[in-house]
Amino acid sequence: MADGHKLEIFRGLVKFKSNTQKIWGVLAFLTLITAVEVVLGIIKPESLTDTYVLGMKLINWVFIILTLVKAYYIAWDFMHLRDEKSSLRRAIVWTPIFLVVYLTFILLVEADYIYNVYKDGFISWNF
């Protein structure tokens, strides 16, 4: 059964002897990323919370990027995308990435507009 699937992660940098070892290795990687997210959420370093990139705090961009990395890796390993043809992989991976970037852009533009209406317009902050 182990012959059908590749027992390596990170494009062959780490190799395992069995599927069980590989599952534990993937779990350790995903746990590490989650731990980094939790620690950043608790500590909230000033260098990340005071820096703005494209109208949003840098720490929020870090959270978005780490979440996308986890989602990509789960799809890559647990949904066996690495064993599929490259055209199917691209269609499955690039479509959600494009949609997330597009949604983020729309949310940032609309949020900035609403903020400016309340800040400079005739409507006051009443909540």
Side-chain angles (χ1 to χ4, degrees):
M1 185 163 186
D3 298 335
H5 302 290
K6 297 177 184 173
L7 295 175
E8 55 192 29
I9 58 175
F10 305 121
R11 302 206 182 252
L13 292 176
V14 181
K15 297 181 181 180
F16 299 100
K17 296 178 184 175
S18 69
N19 280 333
T20 307
Q21 286 182 343
K22 183 179 178 191
I23 290 171
W24 283 107
V26 171
L27 176 69
F29 173 68
L30 294 175
T31 303
L32 177 70
I33 292 178
T34 304
V36 168
E37 287 178 333
V38 169
V39 167
L40 286 176
I42 291 172
I43 294 175
K44 296 179 185 170
E46 287 185 26
S47 60
L48 295 177
T49 56
D50 294 340
T51 306
Y52 285 84
V53 176
L54 295 175
M56 193 165 58
K57 292 180 182 180
L58 185 59
I59 193 164
N60 291 339
W61 285 111
V62 170
F63 287 144
I64 290 171
I65 290 168
L66 289 176
T67 302
L68 288 175
V69 166
K70 284 194 306 187
Y72 173 80
Y73 197 75
I74 288 169
W76 185 258
D77 244 353
F78 291 120
M79 296 175 67
H80 306 287
L81 284 181
R82 72 180 170 296
D83 298 327
E84 298 294 338
K85 291 185 179 182
S86 63
S87 57
L88 178 64
R89 285 195 311 241
R90 288 186 189 118
I92 292 173
V93 170
W94 285 107
T95 303
I97 288 176
F98 169 75
L99 291 175
V100 166
V101 169
Y102 181 64
L103 176 67
T104 304
F105 172 76
I106 288 174
L107 289 174
L108 288 175
V109 169
E110 291 297 322
D112 188 52
Y113 171 76
I114 291 171
Y115 174 77
N116 287 330
V117 164
Y118 279 115
K119 179 180 163 201
D120 301 329
F122 296 108
I123 301 172
S124 65
W125 292 95
N126 61 356
F127 51 89

